[in-house]
Amino acid sequence: GAALARLHLRHRFDVVQVNTMPDILALAALIPKLCGTPVVLDMHEVMPELYMSLHQAPPGHWVIRMLRFMERISVRFSSHMITVNEPCRQILLRRGAPADRLSIIFNSPDDRIFRLSAEEEAAPPKGFRIISHGSLLKRYGYETLIKAMPLVLQSIPGARLDVVGPGESSEELMA
């Protein structure tokens, strides 16, 4: 927060984007916010649900209540929030995030950067292809995607699944 305040007072940022976790990190932008600079809270994870998933904690656990409290403060403090999908958006809306200050920006590759080669453009792969990229973490449900492939293949013969990325579940998913 102190470093951001010093930089802001020297350079006057147009906007400050805070990538969580933790949500409360948004408060590090207090000085820019007081100077009128919008603060965008980029929430790739919904912390209470993530904690419950990782630690099998019940919804009423004191840590979950504390995380929800910090989330409420962060949402109120922020000028706008970004999340990565509709389920996260719905959770935040149910907890009181204003719909007009909440946007979804899908966590997907930018096709201006990740372009097909001339060969790939000329002869695109045939068939139905599912590609999932990112951190291979248990909580993201990749095992469900893999287990669903036999059902997909019944409906779409020749379908292909590519799972790309590193993570704690890499070896398990490969098996």
Short mmCIF file of all heavy atoms in Angstrom, two decimals, residues 104-134:
data_model
loop_
_atom_site.label_atom_id
_atom_site.label_comp_id
_atom_site.label_asym_id
_atom_site.label_seq_id
_atom_site.Cartn_x
_atom_site.Cartn_y
_atom_site.Cartn_z
N ILE A 104 -17.75 -9.80 -16.33
CA ILE A 104 -17.04 -11.06 -16.57
C ILE A 104 -16.06 -10.82 -17.71
O ILE A 104 -16.43 -10.30 -18.75
CB ILE A 104 -18.02 -12.17 -16.98
CG1 ILE A 104 -18.98 -12.50 -15.83
CG2 ILE A 104 -17.24 -13.42 -17.41
CD1 ILE A 104 -20.05 -13.49 -16.22
N ILE A 105 -14.83 -11.18 -17.47
CA ILE A 105 -13.83 -11.24 -18.54
C ILE A 105 -13.27 -12.65 -18.48
O ILE A 105 -12.59 -13.02 -17.52
CB ILE A 105 -12.72 -10.18 -18.37
CG1 ILE A 105 -13.32 -8.79 -18.44
CG2 ILE A 105 -11.64 -10.39 -19.45
CD1 ILE A 105 -12.32 -7.66 -18.28
N PHE A 106 -13.62 -13.45 -19.47
CA PHE A 106 -13.22 -14.84 -19.46
C PHE A 106 -11.71 -14.97 -19.49
O PHE A 106 -11.02 -14.22 -20.17
CB PHE A 106 -13.85 -15.59 -20.65
CG PHE A 106 -15.34 -15.66 -20.56
CD1 PHE A 106 -16.14 -14.88 -21.37
CD2 PHE A 106 -15.95 -16.50 -19.64
CE1 PHE A 106 -17.51 -14.93 -21.28
CE2 PHE A 106 -17.33 -16.56 -19.54
CZ PHE A 106 -18.11 -15.77 -20.36
N ASN A 107 -11.24 -15.93 -18.75
CA ASN A 107 -9.81 -16.22 -18.68
C ASN A 107 -9.46 -17.10 -19.88
O ASN A 107 -9.46 -18.31 -19.80
CB ASN A 107 -9.52 -16.94 -17.36
CG ASN A 107 -8.05 -17.06 -17.09
OD1 ASN A 107 -7.23 -16.46 -17.77
ND2 ASN A 107 -7.70 -17.84 -16.09
N SER A 108 -9.24 -16.45 -21.02
CA SER A 108 -8.98 -17.18 -22.25
C SER A 108 -7.88 -16.49 -23.04
O SER A 108 -7.61 -15.31 -22.82
CB SER A 108 -10.25 -17.28 -23.08
OG SER A 108 -10.71 -16.00 -23.42
N PRO A 109 -7.26 -17.22 -23.95
CA PRO A 109 -6.17 -16.62 -24.71
C PRO A 109 -6.65 -15.53 -25.66
O PRO A 109 -7.76 -15.60 -26.18
CB PRO A 109 -5.57 -17.80 -25.49
CG PRO A 109 -6.63 -18.83 -25.51
CD PRO A 109 -7.50 -18.61 -24.30
N ASP A 110 -5.81 -14.56 -25.89
CA ASP A 110 -6.10 -13.46 -26.81
C ASP A 110 -5.67 -13.91 -28.20
O ASP A 110 -4.48 -14.14 -28.45
CB ASP A 110 -5.31 -12.23 -26.37
CG ASP A 110 -5.60 -11.00 -27.21
OD1 ASP A 110 -6.04 -11.14 -28.37
OD2 ASP A 110 -5.36 -9.90 -26.70
N ASP A 111 -6.63 -14.03 -29.12
CA ASP A 111 -6.28 -14.54 -30.45
C ASP A 111 -5.45 -13.56 -31.28
O ASP A 111 -4.96 -13.90 -32.35
CB ASP A 111 -7.51 -15.01 -31.22
CG ASP A 111 -8.54 -13.92 -31.45
OD1 ASP A 111 -8.28 -12.76 -31.10
OD2 ASP A 111 -9.60 -14.25 -32.01
N ARG A 112 -5.27 -12.34 -30.78
CA ARG A 112 -4.34 -11.43 -31.45
C ARG A 112 -2.90 -11.81 -31.12
O ARG A 112 -1.98 -11.46 -31.85
CB ARG A 112 -4.60 -9.99 -31.03
CG ARG A 112 -5.96 -9.48 -31.52
CD ARG A 112 -6.26 -8.14 -30.93
NE ARG A 112 -6.31 -8.29 -29.47
CZ ARG A 112 -6.49 -7.30 -28.61
NH1 ARG A 112 -6.62 -6.08 -29.03
NH2 ARG A 112 -6.54 -7.54 -27.32
N ILE A 113 -2.71 -12.52 -30.02
CA ILE A 113 -1.36 -12.94 -29.59
C ILE A 113 -1.11 -14.40 -29.96
O ILE A 113 -0.07 -14.75 -30.50
CB ILE A 113 -1.19 -12.73 -28.07
CG1 ILE A 113 -1.32 -11.25 -27.73
CG2 ILE A 113 0.14 -13.30 -27.58
CD1 ILE A 113 -1.44 -10.96 -26.25
N PHE A 114 -2.08 -15.26 -29.65
CA PHE A 114 -1.95 -16.69 -29.90
C PHE A 114 -2.64 -17.01 -31.22
O PHE A 114 -3.81 -17.33 -31.27
CB PHE A 114 -2.58 -17.49 -28.74
CG PHE A 114 -1.90 -17.23 -27.44
CD1 PHE A 114 -2.43 -16.32 -26.54
CD2 PHE A 114 -0.72 -17.87 -27.11
CE1 PHE A 114 -1.81 -16.07 -25.33
CE2 PHE A 114 -0.09 -17.62 -25.92
CZ PHE A 114 -0.62 -16.72 -25.03
N ARG A 115 -1.88 -16.91 -32.28
CA ARG A 115 -2.43 -17.08 -33.63
C ARG A 115 -2.04 -18.45 -34.18
O ARG A 115 -0.99 -19.00 -33.85
CB ARG A 115 -1.90 -15.99 -34.54
CG ARG A 115 -2.22 -14.59 -34.04
CD ARG A 115 -1.85 -13.60 -35.07
NE ARG A 115 -2.79 -13.75 -36.16
CZ ARG A 115 -3.70 -12.85 -36.49
NH1 ARG A 115 -3.75 -11.73 -35.83
NH2 ARG A 115 -4.53 -13.06 -37.48
N LEU A 116 -2.88 -18.96 -35.05
CA LEU A 116 -2.57 -20.19 -35.75
C LEU A 116 -1.46 -19.92 -36.77
O LEU A 116 -1.39 -18.83 -37.34
CB LEU A 116 -3.80 -20.73 -36.48
CG LEU A 116 -4.96 -21.20 -35.62
CD1 LEU A 116 -6.14 -21.59 -36.52
CD2 LEU A 116 -4.55 -22.36 -34.75
N SER A 117 -0.64 -20.94 -36.99
CA SER A 117 0.39 -20.81 -38.03
C SER A 117 -0.30 -20.85 -39.39
O SER A 117 -1.46 -21.24 -39.50
CB SER A 117 1.39 -21.96 -37.91
OG SER A 117 0.76 -23.18 -38.26
N ALA A 118 0.43 -20.49 -40.43
CA ALA A 118 -0.11 -20.53 -41.79
C ALA A 118 -0.57 -21.94 -42.14
O ALA A 118 -1.61 -22.14 -42.78
CB ALA A 118 0.92 -20.01 -42.78
N GLU A 119 0.22 -22.96 -41.71
CA GLU A 119 -0.14 -24.36 -41.97
C GLU A 119 -1.45 -24.71 -41.28
O GLU A 119 -2.32 -25.36 -41.86
CB GLU A 119 0.96 -25.30 -41.46
CG GLU A 119 2.21 -25.31 -42.28
CD GLU A 119 3.29 -26.17 -41.62
OE1 GLU A 119 3.07 -26.74 -40.53
OE2 GLU A 119 4.38 -26.26 -42.21
N GLU A 120 -1.58 -24.30 -40.02
CA GLU A 120 -2.80 -24.60 -39.27
C GLU A 120 -4.01 -23.88 -39.86
O GLU A 120 -5.11 -24.42 -39.90
CB GLU A 120 -2.63 -24.21 -37.79
CG GLU A 120 -1.63 -25.08 -37.05
CD GLU A 120 -1.26 -24.51 -35.70
OE1 GLU A 120 -1.11 -23.27 -35.59
OE2 GLU A 120 -1.11 -25.30 -34.76
N GLU A 121 -3.80 -22.65 -40.32
CA GLU A 121 -4.89 -21.89 -40.96
C GLU A 121 -5.34 -22.60 -42.23
O GLU A 121 -6.53 -22.69 -42.50
CB GLU A 121 -4.42 -20.47 -41.33
CG GLU A 121 -4.21 -19.57 -40.16
CD GLU A 121 -5.45 -18.77 -39.80
OE1 GLU A 121 -6.46 -18.87 -40.50
OE2 GLU A 121 -5.39 -18.06 -38.79
N ALA A 122 -4.38 -23.11 -43.01
CA ALA A 122 -4.68 -23.75 -44.29
C ALA A 122 -5.37 -25.10 -44.09
O ALA A 122 -6.24 -25.47 -44.87
CB ALA A 122 -3.40 -23.93 -45.10
N ALA A 123 -4.96 -25.84 -43.07
CA ALA A 123 -5.52 -27.17 -42.82
C ALA A 123 -5.88 -27.31 -41.34
O ALA A 123 -5.16 -27.94 -40.58
CB ALA A 123 -4.51 -28.24 -43.23
N PRO A 124 -6.97 -26.68 -40.91
CA PRO A 124 -7.34 -26.77 -39.50
C PRO A 124 -7.64 -28.22 -39.12
O PRO A 124 -8.03 -29.03 -39.98
CB PRO A 124 -8.59 -25.90 -39.39
CG PRO A 124 -9.11 -25.77 -40.76
CD PRO A 124 -7.96 -25.95 -41.69
N PRO A 125 -7.43 -28.57 -37.84
CA PRO A 125 -7.71 -29.95 -37.43
C PRO A 125 -9.17 -30.30 -37.68
O PRO A 125 -10.06 -29.46 -37.53
CB PRO A 125 -7.41 -29.95 -35.93
CG PRO A 125 -6.92 -28.60 -35.58
CD PRO A 125 -7.01 -27.72 -36.77
N LYS A 126 -9.40 -31.52 -38.09
CA LYS A 126 -10.77 -31.97 -38.32
C LYS A 126 -11.35 -32.50 -37.02
O LYS A 126 -10.64 -32.99 -36.16
CB LYS A 126 -10.78 -33.06 -39.39
CG LYS A 126 -10.41 -32.52 -40.76
CD LYS A 126 -10.49 -33.61 -41.79
CE LYS A 126 -10.28 -33.14 -43.19
NZ LYS A 126 -9.24 -32.24 -43.47
N GLY A 127 -12.64 -32.41 -36.91
CA GLY A 127 -13.31 -32.97 -35.74
C GLY A 127 -13.50 -31.96 -34.62
O GLY A 127 -13.10 -30.81 -34.72
N PHE A 128 -14.10 -32.46 -33.59
CA PHE A 128 -14.45 -31.64 -32.42
C PHE A 128 -13.31 -31.72 -31.41
O PHE A 128 -12.88 -32.81 -31.03
CB PHE A 128 -15.75 -32.17 -31.81
CG PHE A 128 -16.31 -31.30 -30.75
CD1 PHE A 128 -17.04 -30.16 -31.08
CD2 PHE A 128 -16.12 -31.61 -29.41
CE1 PHE A 128 -17.58 -29.36 -30.09
CE2 PHE A 128 -16.66 -30.81 -28.42
CZ PHE A 128 -17.39 -29.68 -28.76
N ARG A 129 -12.83 -30.58 -30.98
CA ARG A 129 -11.66 -30.55 -30.09
C ARG A 129 -11.99 -29.69 -28.88
O ARG A 129 -12.45 -28.55 -29.01
CB ARG A 129 -10.48 -29.97 -30.85
CG ARG A 129 -9.17 -30.10 -30.15
CD ARG A 129 -8.09 -29.70 -31.13
NE ARG A 129 -6.79 -29.84 -30.53
CZ ARG A 129 -5.68 -29.41 -31.09
NH1 ARG A 129 -5.73 -28.83 -32.28
NH2 ARG A 129 -4.53 -29.57 -30.50
N ILE A 130 -11.73 -30.22 -27.69
CA ILE A 130 -11.91 -29.49 -26.44
C ILE A 130 -10.50 -29.21 -25.90
O ILE A 130 -9.69 -30.13 -25.77
CB ILE A 130 -12.69 -30.32 -25.40
CG1 ILE A 130 -14.06 -30.71 -25.95
CG2 ILE A 130 -12.81 -29.55 -24.08
CD1 ILE A 130 -14.76 -31.78 -25.13
N ILE A 131 -10.24 -27.95 -25.62
CA ILE A 131 -8.93 -27.57 -25.08
C ILE A 131 -9.16 -26.84 -23.77
O ILE A 131 -9.96 -25.90 -23.70
CB ILE A 131 -8.17 -26.65 -26.06
CG1 ILE A 131 -7.99 -27.34 -27.40
CG2 ILE A 131 -6.82 -26.26 -25.45
CD1 ILE A 131 -7.40 -26.46 -28.48
N SER A 132 -8.47 -27.27 -22.74
CA SER A 132 -8.53 -26.59 -21.45
C SER A 132 -7.11 -26.28 -21.03
O SER A 132 -6.23 -27.13 -21.07
CB SER A 132 -9.21 -27.48 -20.41
OG SER A 132 -9.34 -26.79 -19.20
N HIS A 133 -6.90 -25.03 -20.65
CA HIS A 133 -5.55 -24.61 -20.27
C HIS A 133 -5.58 -23.95 -18.91
O HIS A 133 -6.60 -23.44 -18.47
CB HIS A 133 -4.98 -23.64 -21.31
CG HIS A 133 -5.72 -22.33 -21.32
ND1 HIS A 133 -5.37 -21.28 -20.52
CD2 HIS A 133 -6.82 -21.95 -22.01
CE1 HIS A 133 -6.21 -20.28 -20.72
NE2 HIS A 133 -7.10 -20.66 -21.63
N GLY A 134 -4.45 -23.98 -18.25
CA GLY A 134 -4.34 -23.31 -16.96
C GLY A 134 -3.67 -24.19 -15.94
O GLY A 134 -3.07 -25.22 -16.28
#
